[in-house]
């Protein structure tokens, strides 16, 4: 199956700083999703981005499918941004189905 | 937007008993739902794909007789952990995607169920 690598595994930021999280994947994918898992375990959709760049407030994401990577940018970080960020490429799993494969995540801690 | 409701959010059960977890898509139809398991400080691992009206497809290493999945309607899938043991303690999360693509939010996840078997 597809392999997903996220970096860095851990990141500590001072409030107000910017950061870039990276997701590499080993095979062609149909789409890619970024999630934020909050301390209570809820997975929150951030972006559904097969290619190109999307922006939502202080967050933006870029996927370069031909080079098999995606980046998540967080600008002017806030303490509420803390949590684990997962990328999950969407790939065909057979019999007309698609599935997500999760990376191990980047644990972000934003300190005041 | 697409909403997936998962219940219960937390359950503690005695070893040997069974626990049922429900996953509902509230504002869209989902022919396919997914069940994941997450151990502390680890990633999500896909357990099975639940298909409405047919048998679930289990990932390698997941016991289908222990983790019973039923997807009886386009809005409801259930996961039953049978004869639970302490090693089954984990965070279980379901997800679904709009079957008709009218809601372009990708895959939406429930809030998860934290199962503790004592």
């Amino acid at each position: 199956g597809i392999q997903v690598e996220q970096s860095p595994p851990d990141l500590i930021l001072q409030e107000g700083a910017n950061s870039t999280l990276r997701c590499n994947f080993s095979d062609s994918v149909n789409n890619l999703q970024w999630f934020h898992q909050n301390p209570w375990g809820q997975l929150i959709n951030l972006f559904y981005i097969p290619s190109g760049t999307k922006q939502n407030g202080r967050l933006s994401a870029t996927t370069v499918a031909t080079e098999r990577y995606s980046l998540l940018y967080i600008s002017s970080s806030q303490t509420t941004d803390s949590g684990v960020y997962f990328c999950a490429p969407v790939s065909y799993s057979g019999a007309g189905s698609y599935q997500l494969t999760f990376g191990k995540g980047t644990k972000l801690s934003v300190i005041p | 937007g697409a909403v997936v409701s998962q219940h219960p959010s937390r359950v503690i059960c005695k070893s040997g008993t069974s626990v049922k977890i429900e996953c509902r898509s509230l504002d869209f139809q989902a022919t396919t739902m997914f069940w994941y398991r997450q151990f502390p400080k680890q990633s999500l691992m896909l357990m099975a794909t639940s298909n409405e009206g047919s048998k679930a497809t289990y990932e390698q290493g997941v016991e289908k007789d222990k983790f019973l999945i039923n997807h009886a309607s386009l809005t409801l899938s259930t996961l039953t952990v049978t004869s639970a043991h302490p090693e089954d303690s984990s965070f279980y999360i379901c997800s679904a995607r709009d079957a008709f693509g009218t809601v372009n939010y990708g895959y939406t996840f429930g809030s998860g169920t934290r199962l503790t078997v004592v």
Side-chain angles (χ1 to χ4, degrees):
Chain A
I2 188 169
Q3 305 299 312
V4 183
E5 291 185 7
Q6 288 188 244
S7 60
D10 295 279
L11 182 61
I12 300 174
L13 292 179
Q14 196 77 40
E15 194 170 26
N18 304 326
S19 65
T20 301
L21 281 56
R22 187 177 180 101
C23 172
N24 293 333
F25 43 94
S26 62
D27 209 343
S28 301
V29 298
N30 298 90
N31 217 314
L32 185 139
Q33 210 158 343
W34 281 97
F35 296 93
H36 174 215
Q37 187 170 39
N38 65 23
W40 298 272
Q42 174 74 60
L43 279 164
I44 300 164
N45 295 337
L46 297 178
F47 295 101
Y48 191 55
I49 179 169
S51 62
T53 297
K54 290 186 178 179
Q55 179 141 15
N56 185 3
R58 295 182 295 104
L59 303 180
S60 66
T62 296
T63 296
V64 183
T66 53
E67 297 186 22
R68 300 180 183 171
Y69 73 89
S70 183
L71 303 173
L72 178 69
Y73 305 94
I74 303 174
S75 64
S76 303
S77 59
Q78 300 176 358
T79 55
T80 51
D81 295 332
S82 297
V84 182
Y85 290 81
F86 289 103
C87 82
V90 181
S91 56
Y92 185 65
S93 57
S97 297
Y98 295 83
Q99 68 182 50
L100 299 172
T101 302
F102 281 79
K104 292 185 177 181
T106 292
K107 183 179 179 182
L108 174 65
S109 301
V110 181
I111 55 178
Chain B
V3 178
V4 173
S5 174
Q6 185 173 343
H7 293 280
S9 58
R10 187 180 297 268
V11 58
I12 300 173
C13 71
K14 289 186 177 180
S15 187
T17 62
S18 296
V19 173
K20 181 185 283 188
I21 303 170
E22 289 190 351
C23 180
R24 294 181 184 271
S25 57
L26 296 187
D27 50 1
F28 66 98
Q29 294 181 327
T31 54
T32 304
M33 292 185 175
F34 304 87
W35 288 96
Y36 294 83
R37 184 173 180 174
Q38 186 181 29
F39 290 107
K41 299 185 179 180
Q42 294 192 21
S43 187
L44 280 76
M45 298 301 296
L46 179 65
M47 298 174 64
T49 301
S50 167
N51 301 297
E52 186 266 337
S54 65
K55 292 182 179 181
T57 304
Y58 290 82
E59 295 300 302
Q60 193 171 8
V62 178
E63 299 175 58
K64 63 179 182 180
D65 294 331
K66 180 165 190 62
F67 298 100
L68 299 179
I69 291 173
N70 184 277
H71 193 158
S73 76
L74 286 173
T75 58
L76 174 64
S77 176
T78 60
L79 168 68
T80 301
V81 183
T82 62
S83 188
H85 291 285
E87 57 265 31
D88 298 324
S89 299
S90 189
F91 191 58
Y92 293 87
I93 314 175
C94 70
S95 124
R97 184 167 184 258
D98 184 355
F100 299 101
T102 57
V103 179
N104 189 23
Y105 294 108
Y107 294 77
T108 302
F109 283 74
S111 55
T113 297
R114 194 164 302 281
L115 170 64
T116 303
V117 185
V118 297

